[in-house]
Amino acid sequence: MAKYSCKTCGAELYFDPKSGKLNCEYCNSQFDPSEYAYLPDDEAQGTAGASSAEHAESSVDHAESAEGQYATDDSVNANLVIYKCPHCGAEVITSKETAATTCVYCNRAITLEGNLSGEFQPDYILPFEKERKEVEDAYRKLCRQSILTPRLFTKEATVKKIKGMYIPFWLYSFTGNAVFDVSASNVRTWTTGDTEYTETESYNITEGAAGQFQYIPEDAMKAMDNTLMDSLEPFNFSKLQKFNPAYLAGFYTQRWDDDAATNDPRAKVRAKSALQQAAMKNVGTYGQVSIRSESYDWTNQKVDYAMMPVWMMYTEYKGKNYLFGMNGQTGKMVGTIPKDPMRLAEIGAGVFVISQLVMMALRVLGVM
């Protein structure tokens, strides 16, 4: 585990989306994440002989990582691991996949660097740009759009459940070439005297399309709804940064549990749709058009592993789960807030009580 300490006063640092820096809440110092040394596994191999003094100068405090793992055959407990919080020393129980979380005792950020090593080591990270206040304000505005919004969704305790999370994504890049065999036809109908005539002109067309695709994103967590994650797009990939766990400070994240090979067909579906649209634009204008067959060839294939910023909150209401989500970079929101017709009765009752109190006050003052 690691925490990131202020080089000025020694207090803990948190990543601030607004400034893009690691902020100290005590002395207001700011540091670029790159100032806190991070060596990916392949680079770290050449630094095994570094002295303890050199590591101390990095201002990254490491604590005892894994205390142990529950020895049990239970499928749930077997996935749990115990860590020691580097801040208060309390034992933190979390899943093997968790890479950043918060201590339930001292509420301080915990980054579990060991869970992001080897095959789980990200290539890139897209830093948060939307800070918590912006998210909470946007959520409250969404709730105010209807007077039928259940009270549960506007309670402060519910709003505070919104969490900033880095979601693991696979980013697919490749070149695509496609060939389409298309059937097209024009139908003309006319009448001469009492006779109706129909003329059909049929055509067989072969059309091709090619495209260079870069960073098609697909989420790499089984627990996440793919449609929901897709709806949070687009992301601005020009702001991708080389991965540094310092960006995780103060946020939650988990490593991937849905591999790149499994998600590859989803990325190819998007590419196929784009190639098909490009090809059909060149087919021409016909009354009816249909694709008889299609073939694709993929080359220069590459997959990168990245952490993408998302603000999320699940709320259970009347046996159903409702999700609010926001793209942590662009601010795009998804999700629905339910409407409860019973709120009309509550509002009506409230208005009645207030009116009665006003009338009583007027009587006391002798106005009525």
Side-chain angles (χ1 to χ4, degrees):
M1 278 187 277
K3 68 174 181 178
Y4 298 87
S5 300
C6 176
K7 297 179 180 180
T8 304
C9 69
E12 184 178 9
L13 301 175
Y14 292 88
F15 182 77
D16 174 44
K18 190 172 184 179
S19 65
K21 306 287 186 181
L22 288 166
N23 277 9
C24 177
E25 298 176 348
Y26 293 90
C27 68
N28 295 320
S29 296
Q30 292 187 327
F31 305 92
D32 192 271
S34 62
E35 295 183 49
Y36 289 79
Y38 169 67
L39 291 178
D41 286 352
D42 53 351
E43 295 179 30
Q45 298 301 320
T47 62
S51 68
S52 58
E54 290 174 323
H55 288 294
E57 291 176 357
S58 70
S59 295
V60 181
D61 299 332
H62 294 269
E64 189 173 356
S65 56
E67 273 292 304
Q69 178 178 323
Y70 283 109
T72 174
D73 292 331
D74 184 270
S75 60
V76 175
N77 288 339
N79 193 43
L80 301 180
V81 180
I82 303 175
Y83 297 92
K84 270 193 176 180
C85 174
H87 311 288
C88 67
E91 291 187 340
V92 179
I93 302 175
T94 185
S95 71
K96 293 178 184 178
E97 287 76 27
T98 300
T101 186
T102 300
C103 177
V104 295
Y105 299 97
C106 67
N107 200 37
R108 305 296 290 277
I110 301 174
T111 302
L112 310 173
E113 288 185 349
N115 283 358
L116 292 175
S117 59
E119 63 179 332
F120 298 107
Q121 178 180 293
D123 300 300
Y124 300 103
I125 188 167
L126 193 64
F128 273 89
E129 293 186 27
K130 297 299 178 180
E131 56 186 348
R132 172 171 284 279
K133 186 179 184 305
E134 294 178 87
V135 182
E136 291 184 355
D137 289 347
Y139 171 76
R140 290 189 178 98
K141 183 177 180 180
L142 182 64
C143 289
R144 289 196 298 267
Q145 290 181 358
S146 174
I147 62 173
L148 301 181
T149 297
R151 286 186 179 181
L152 172 65
F153 288 81
T154 58
K155 288 183 177 180
E156 193 64 20
T158 301
V159 177
K160 293 303 179 185
K161 286 167 55 181
I162 299 175
K163 293 181 179 180
M165 302 178 63
Y166 277 106
I167 305 298
F169 269 76
W170 300 114
L171 304 181
Y172 298 87
S173 301
F174 46 77
T175 299
N177 287 278
V179 176
F180 300 90
D181 288 329
V182 180
S183 293
S185 63
N186 285 321
V187 178
R188 185 168 69 95
T189 302
W190 71 93
T191 301
T192 301
D194 295 331
T195 305
E196 181 179 275
Y197 299 89
T198 299
E199 179 185 74
T200 301
E201 297 177 335
S202 298
Y203 305 89
N204 292 322
I205 304 168
T206 299
E207 188 63 59
Q212 178 66 48
F213 300 90
Q214 184 176 30
Y215 297 152
I216 297 179
E218 299 295 347
D219 71 275
M221 283 183 65
K222 293 178 181 178
M224 288 297 169
D225 181 84
N226 293 336
T227 302
L228 174 72
M229 290 294 101
D230 291 346
S231 63
L232 284 171
E233 297 175 29
F235 292 97
N236 181 1
F237 293 115
S238 68
K239 295 187 177 182
L240 278 175
Q241 302 291 325
K242 285 290 185 180
F243 179 73
N244 187 327
Y247 286 104
L248 304 179
F251 296 98
Y252 294 80
T253 192
Q254 286 187 268
R255 64 192 190 186
W256 64 263
D257 63 357
D258 202 8
D259 63 40
T262 301
N263 285 276
D264 180 81
R266 292 177 55 213
K268 295 294 173 53
V269 166
R270 296 199 197 190
K272 287 178 180 180
S273 177
L275 291 172
Q276 185 181 116
Q277 290 179 29
M280 296 307 286
K281 286 182 180 179
N282 296 325
V283 166
T285 303
Y286 297 92
Q288 294 182 339
V289 176
S290 62
I291 297 175
R292 292 190 304 169
S293 64
E294 54 194 295
S295 62
Y296 300 90
D297 181 44
W298 311 106
T299 57
N300 303 318
Q301 300 189 66
K302 180 186 177 185
V303 182
D304 293 299
Y305 176 32
M307 291 293 182
M308 313 299 283
V310 177
W311 290 96
M312 296 188 68
M313 179 187 70
Y314 280 98
T315 303
E316 185 177 349
Y317 181 69
K318 292 188 175 181
K320 293 184 179 180
N321 283 324
Y322 294 89
L323 181 136
F324 166 80
M326 176 186 281
N327 183 314
Q329 181 194 42
T330 67
K332 181 181 180 181
M333 292 190 297
V334 298
T336 56
I337 305 296
K339 295 179 174 59
D340 188 351
M342 292 302 295
R343 284 287 291 146
L344 287 176
E346 293 178 10
I347 295 170
V351 171
F352 175 77
V353 170
I354 292 173
S355 65
Q356 294 301 306
L357 290 174
V358 171
M359 293 178 64
M360 289 177 62
L362 292 176
R363 289 193 186 98
V364 170
L365 296 173
V367 178
M368 293 183 64

